[in-house]
Amino acid sequence: MITYYNPLGGVSLTNEYFAGLVGEAAQHCYGVAGMASSSASDSIKSLILGKNRADKGVRVSQVDGKLAIELHIMVDAGVNIATVCRSIM
């Protein structure tokens, strides 16, 4: 969880929020065919909750006060993977 403080108070944003935000953005990038399940628990969530989850294939963690984002994507056939990575970044 990331918390920002200012003179008026604080705002807390969860890792799940960031996962949904990043997943939604990555799905609309050039060359991304879809998101892949990153773990067995992610596969089970997809079965139970449906396959239109924004956070599918995204893992967000906090390392030394910074967000570390891990994406599992499926790439369109014939597309340069390096170009797809630059598009996502």
Side-chain angles (χ1 to χ4, degrees):
M1 179 180 296
I2 300 291
T3 304
Y4 295 103
Y5 294 102
N6 61 33
L8 299 175
V11 177
S12 296
L13 304 170
T14 64
N15 290 353
E16 291 79 18
Y17 168 78
F18 282 111
L21 184 68
V22 169
E24 189 66 34
Q27 289 177 16
H28 298 295
C29 288
Y30 167 78
V32 176
M35 304 301 286
S37 295
S38 60
S39 65
S41 64
D42 201 22
S43 299
I44 293 171
K45 283 182 194 175
S46 293
L47 289 173
I48 295 172
L49 301 175
K51 64 184 211 177
N52 291 331
R53 292 184 19 249
D55 64 343
K56 178 180 178 183
V58 182
R59 187 177 304 153
V60 177
S61 58
Q62 197 170 4
V63 179
D64 298 328
K66 297 179 182 179
L67 288 179
I69 300 171
E70 183 179 323
L71 291 175
H72 296 262
I73 61 170
M74 294 182 283
V75 179
D76 288 328
V79 177
N80 185 333
I81 294 175
T83 304
V84 175
C85 292
R86 280 192 295 274
S87 158
I88 292 171
M89 288 191 289

